[in-house]
Amino acid sequence: MLVGFEEGYAEVNGVRLHYVSGGTGEPLLLLPGWPLTWWEFHKVMPLLAERYRVIAVDLRGMGDSGKPETGYDKKTMARDVAELVRKLGYESVNIAGTDIGAMVAFSFAANHPDLTRKLAMIEVPHPDTFFYQFTVLPQAGQPHLWWFAFNQVKELPERLLAGRARLLIDWCVDQMARDRDAIDEQSRAVYAAAYDQPGAIRAANGWYQAFPQDIEDMQTYGALSVPVLALGSLYYQAMPLALAGKATDIRFLEIPDAGHYLAEERPDDLVRALTEFLG
C-alpha cells in the first residue's frame, strides 16, 4: 500500500468496489484500464494527493472488486462509480480514466452530469459506431487491436489464460509501452496476480463483450457540457476524430514519445496535464 493512502470497500449497485484513497482537496477519481488495476496510478497518486483527494477505483470485474456475471456495459459501470461517489459523501467529483476507465469516465459524465466537475480521458474514447470499422487482419500503419476480437470469445480466453495472466501482461506492456522498464517487475506481478484471480479474465472479457451495448448507448448521449480534456500518446490520433462533437468544451493534448501507459511511463507529464486542466 502507498504511504498516506488507505484501502476501502463499498457495496454499490449490486457489486463490491475496492478503492484506494488519500490526500486532501477537491475529489479526483481515477479509473484504470485493461489489463491493469488501481495500481496503474501508484506513481501519480502521491503527487496528485498534494492538491486533491485522490480515489483510485478498481472497476467492476477488476482487481479486488467484485466480479459478477453481468453489468459490464459502461453505463452500468458508470452507475457503480456514481453510487460510490454518493456513498463517499461527495456532491460532485473530477474524474479521469484511462483505456476502459476512460470509457467508463465518459459514460459517468454523460449519465451523471450533476456529479461531474471535469472529465479527463486518457488514450481511449468511448465505444462508438467507428469501432465496427476495426479489422481483424493487421494493416500497415494501423493499430492491430487483436484483443478486441479475442476478448469477444466466451470461455476460451479463460481456459487459455488460467494461471498464465503474466503472459498477457508482459505482451501488452512490451508491445504498447514506449518505456518498458517503467512497468517494473513488481507492477507486472501485481497485475498478473489480479488477473489470475477466479473470474478475472471472464470479467475483463465482459468489458469488451459489452461494446455493442455501449455503442447503442452512445447514440442516446448528447454533447457533454462539462469541461473535457482528451490526452494520449500511442492512440492519441484517434481522440480528436472520435470525440468530435461529443463535448461543448473540449481540449486535446498529445504527450509525444510515450506509449499507452502514461501514468507509469510519464507520471510527471500526466500530473502536470491533469493539474493544469483541473486547477
Side-chain angles (χ1 to χ4, degrees), residues 168-202:
L168 176 66
I169 302 302
D170 284 344
W171 189 94
C172 289
V173 169
D174 292 344
Q175 295 298 316
M176 289 189 279
R178 182 72 174 264
D179 179 5
R180 299 176 180 179
D181 293 336
I183 299 91
D184 61 14
E185 172 62 31
Q186 178 188 3
S187 293
R188 294 180 190 224
V190 166
Y191 301 139
Y195 286 86
D196 276 335
Q197 293 182 57
I201 298 298
R202 170 189 53 77

Side-chain angles (χ1 to χ4, degrees), residues 61-84:
M62 178 184 288
D64 289 331
S65 288
K67 299 167 180 60
E69 293 293 329
T70 60
Y72 296 103
D73 62 280
K74 309 312 168 288
K75 190 173 184 178
T76 297
M77 295 172 73
R79 182 178 173 184
D80 297 344
V81 177
E83 291 194 11
L84 175 63

